[in-house]
Amino acid sequence: MENNISFQMKVETGDAGYVLEDVPHLTDYIPDLPTYPNPLRSNPAYSVVKQYFVDADDTVPQKVVVHKDGPRGIHFRRAGPRQRVYFAPDEVHAAIVTCGGLCPGLNTVIREIVCALYHMYGVTRVLGIDGGYRGFYSKNTITLTPKVVNDIHKRGGTIIGTSRGGHDKPKIVDSIQDRGINQVLFMFQVYIIGGDGTQKGAAVIYQEVRRRGLKAVVAGIPKTIDNDIPVIDKSFGFDTAVEEAQRAINAAHVEAESAENGIGVVKLMGRYSGFIAMYATLASRDVDLCLIPESPFYLEGEGGLLEYVEKRLKDNGHMVIVVAEGAGQELLAADNLKTSTAKDASGNKLLQDVGLWISDKIKAHFAKIPSMPITLKYIDPTYMIRAVPSNASDNVYCTLLAQSCVHGVMAGYTGFTSGLVNGRQTYIPFNRINEKQNNVVITDRMWARLLSSTNQPSFLRPKDVIEVQKQEEPPTELLDGDNSKANDI
Ligand SMILES: Nc1ncnc2c1ncn2[C@@H]1O[C@H](COP(=O)(O)OP(=O)(O)OP(=O)(O)O)[C@@H](O)[C@H]1O
Ligand SMILES: O=P(O)(O)OC[C@H]1O[C@](O)(CO)[C@@H](O)[C@@H]1O
Ligand SMILES: [Mg+2]
């Protein structure tokens, strides 16, 4: 095997094109740390499980579809408990922080980190950082015990609060240092739950912790209702969001069906990635048109949206439109004769209301056709969808994510995000999580399935198809676009 060690990840290569993109470890910069037998050995629940500990050589392939003669490809370290740990329970201070927008399952992840630390590893000093990154230096902490978190998985939101902005690296790392690291006795564990912005912030904190040589590990858990984080199969809370979106789509359908030329418009979240809209549409079967940020569309003329709406109403008497909030933003900007430069505290562009805009455009179009009076209802359930508690399958997923993360941290790994890859829990280096965004690939099969389920036009002219293909990643050897697991099923 050849090794190539960097600050962010350690790349090992092996036979037949095997590549391991490994995560950093505390001992990479603090050698000779003592280790201890994993306390799970004597835990009655786990000691009976055969092969409970993960083999040090276990890795998980990023791609499971391979060709006979193809290279084995990229692998990630398999998550799970190790035989030996790098923390004695009474030496540990752990902190949990949640950042960015809400997402179903946040409380479940918090609960399961706390319970895994207490019940599996005997760690009893666990703090919640109040209100996102800024909470490290400007707010109080919340003591978290199994009793405090006992039933929080039944509630939406996050009991420790969240925020955007406020990522001040020196102040955050100073606060980690002040909370015990420099008292020799203590080792710190930081669990950072959040989306793409949060994971970028976590990578910066990890680098600074390492530069200062602190005995602290930094681990991320990917949270994003938009499913816009790459590499992982899908993000927690996504299933719940898609399920909750069905209620809004059903309401839109009932309203539309009950009126002459009824149109129901539903706006769903998805700033840059239209996964919620795509999956909610595929699940519902009542949707006639789905608009996402990745797929350009136009209103007027042949093959345009208004022509399709007219045709659909003539054929079927009613229709349902699902629009992701980031869709058509360039059309809105052109229409308003100005590009909005407003941003939120984290620097994310603030979007204009595409649902309202499209509803107005449709109403204005049909106002010019007196023979076709329409009834249009616009439903905006965006915050209702992300403020609910996670459903049963997301609860299980959150539990596994949280436990995997704790196992990795106790084993001394740092600078990683815990994530599901091909159905297996893994540790992924921050730089792989942060290098790009997960988007719907509109030249892939999943979007084709959607188009055939709604019968909507693709709005792409032959020249647009060539443009889109140029912008997307070059095809892999498998001839599938592979920058999204959710595209690739
Ligand atoms: N490039 C970056 N470097 C350091 N910190 C960042 C960076 N981008 C964002 N952050 C910080 O991460 C936190 C969350 O970022 P953001 O508001 O973009 O949400 P997110 O984590 O992407 O979640 P979501 O978009 O799913 O709501 C904020 O406190 C923000 O200051
Ligand atoms: O209004 P807020 O809290 O800033 O969040 C809105 C954004 O957060 C998300 O839910 C997650 O990024 C997006 O879908 C949405 O654009
Ligand atoms: Mg984000």
Side-chain angles (χ1 to χ4, degrees):
M1 286 226 182
E2 276 179 31
N3 293 345
N4 173 7
I5 298 176
S6 88
F7 215 59
Q8 289 271 347
M9 78 176 173
K10 304 189 280 191
V11 181
E12 281 184 27
T13 52
D15 293 342
Y18 173 92
V19 178
L20 169 62
E21 294 192 347
D22 203 1
V23 295
H25 193 272
L26 263 183
T27 51
D28 295 341
Y29 66 99
I30 313 178
D32 304 324
L33 282 172
T35 64
Y36 311 88
N38 193 322
L40 279 171
R41 282 177 195 215
S42 43
N43 182 312
Y46 297 98
S47 53
V48 291
V49 180
K50 250 179 153 184
Q51 292 190 323
Y52 185 69
F53 294 106
V54 167
D55 190 294
D57 285 337
D58 280 358
T59 59
V60 178
Q62 183 170 12
K63 278 188 207 151
V64 282
V65 183
V66 289
H67 287 184
K68 190 166 53 131
D69 301 321
R72 290 175 68 197
I74 294 171
H75 291 64
F76 298 109
R77 188 163 284 285
R78 183 179 174 194
R82 272 36 189 186
Q83 297 273 2
R84 300 196 70 78
V85 297
Y86 281 76
F87 295 87
D90 52 356
E91 288 179 354
V92 181
H93 267 182
I96 305 173
V97 64
T98 51
C99 312
L102 292 184
C103 178
L106 278 166
N107 278 334
T108 313
V109 173
I110 296 169
R111 181 188 193 280
E112 297 306 324
I113 294 174
V114 174
C115 290
L117 284 169
Y118 263 77
H119 300 317
M120 292 179 166
Y121 289 101
V123 172
T124 55
R125 289 189 200 87
V126 188
L127 295 175
I129 303 294
D130 192 358
Y133 277 132
R134 69 180 84 245
F136 272 105
Y137 54 87
S138 67
K139 290 224 184 162
N140 291 328
T141 50
I142 301 155
T143 302
L144 298 174
T145 63
K147 199 165 175 209
V148 170
V149 299
N150 183 42
D151 64 353
I152 62 170
H153 59 296
K154 295 178 184 161
R155 288 182 242 161
T158 156
I159 59 152
I160 54 178
T162 184
S163 67
R164 298 192 189 274
H167 187 283
D168 186 324
K169 179 182 76 179
K171 283 194 193 168
I172 292 170
V173 182
D174 284 353
S175 125
I176 291 173
Q177 199 161 358
D178 292 347
R179 283 172 209 270
I181 300 293
N182 51 3
Q183 293 169 27
V184 185
L185 180 64
F186 290 113
M187 295 174 85
F188 216 79
Q189 301 181 345
V190 191
Y191 297 88
I192 301 179
I193 311 167
D196 57 334
T198 306
Q199 300 303 317
K200 288 190 182 89
V204 170
I205 293 171
Y206 153 69
Q207 285 192 347
E208 181 60 12
V209 160
R210 184 167 171 156
R211 195 188 64 77
R212 296 191 194 180
L214 304 180
K215 279 194 214 165
V217 299
V218 181
I221 295 188
K223 173 253 30 156
T224 154
I225 199 167
D226 293 352
N227 198 38
D228 57 3
I229 293 187
V231 185
I232 59 173
D233 292 355
K234 72 179 163 189
S235 45
F236 74 78
F238 178 72
D239 271 0
T240 307
V242 170
E243 204 170 293
E244 196 62 21
Q246 301 305 303
R247 282 149 52 91
I249 295 174
N250 285 344
H253 186 235
V254 168
E255 289 284 348
E257 231 183 0
S258 310
E260 188 193 353
N261 293 324
I263 303 175
V265 178
V266 178
K267 184 177 76 168
L268 297 176
M269 280 194 168
R271 214 196 295 263
Y272 306 111
S273 303
F275 286 107
I276 298 179
M278 176 166 82
Y279 272 74
T281 296
L282 278 166
S284 153
R285 306 279 161 181
D286 284 333
V287 180
D288 304 279
L289 176 62
C290 173
L291 301 169
I292 58 170
E294 296 88 335
S295 182
F297 63 92
Y298 54 96
L299 294 178
E300 312 278 350
E302 201 186 321
L305 184 146
L306 294 169
E307 183 193 77
Y308 173 64
V309 173
E310 222 177 293
K311 181 174 178 310
R312 196 71 198 127
L313 290 180
K314 281 180 187 149
D315 291 349
N316 208 32
H318 68 273
M319 77 178 293
V320 175
I321 302 174
V322 163
V323 55
E325 62 182 339
Q329 289 294 313
E330 65 300 334
L331 296 182
L332 271 83
D335 209 33
N336 297 339
L337 297 176
K338 65 173 179 355
T339 311
S340 165
T341 51
K343 298 200 166 146
D344 70 15
S346 295
N348 300 305
K349 212 172 123 194
L350 287 177
L351 302 175
Q352 303 188 52
D353 190 337
V354 63
L356 206 54
W357 177 81
I358 222 157
S359 300
D360 288 345
K361 289 288 170 193
I362 293 172
K363 283 182 195 161
H365 176 76
F366 284 98
K368 289 183 264 164
I369 314 177
S371 58
M372 277 192 86
I374 62 160
T375 304
L376 186 148
K377 303 286 186 233
Y378 171 40
I379 302 179
D380 178 352
T382 41
Y383 290 101
M384 292 173 68
I385 280 165
R386 71 175 202 183
V388 293
S390 47
N391 67 12
S393 81
D394 270 327
N395 262 338
V396 175
Y397 181 19
C398 291
T399 305
L400 295 185
L401 261 179
Q403 291 184 356
S404 299
C405 193
V406 171
H407 291 315
V409 166
M410 291 301 296
Y413 293 114
T414 182
F416 72 88
T417 298
S418 234
L420 198 67
V421 175
N422 293 315
R424 296 284 182 169
Q425 295 288 343
T426 65
Y427 302 134
I428 306 161
F430 278 144
N431 58 326
R432 281 306 309 280
I433 287 290
N434 291 335
E435 70 192 0
K436 65 181 179 193
Q437 195 172 51
N438 192 29
N439 294 112
V440 174
V441 177
I442 60 168
T443 48
D444 258 8
R445 280 189 213 101
M446 211 58 191
W447 187 243
R449 286 185 188 113
L450 179 134
L451 295 180
S452 73
S453 120
T454 57
N455 283 316
Q456 71 191 67
S458 78
F459 301 111
L460 291 177
R461 302 173 184 106
K463 76 171 179 33
D464 297 326
V465 174
I466 295 168
E467 272 312 301
V468 168
Q469 279 168 344
K470 267 199 247 159
Q471 283 162 21
E472 279 160 9
E473 292 208 323
T476 63
E477 297 139 49
L478 302 176
L479 304 176
D480 274 333
D482 90 325
N483 56 354
S484 156
K485 286 281 155 39
N487 286 300
D488 212 18
I489 297 162

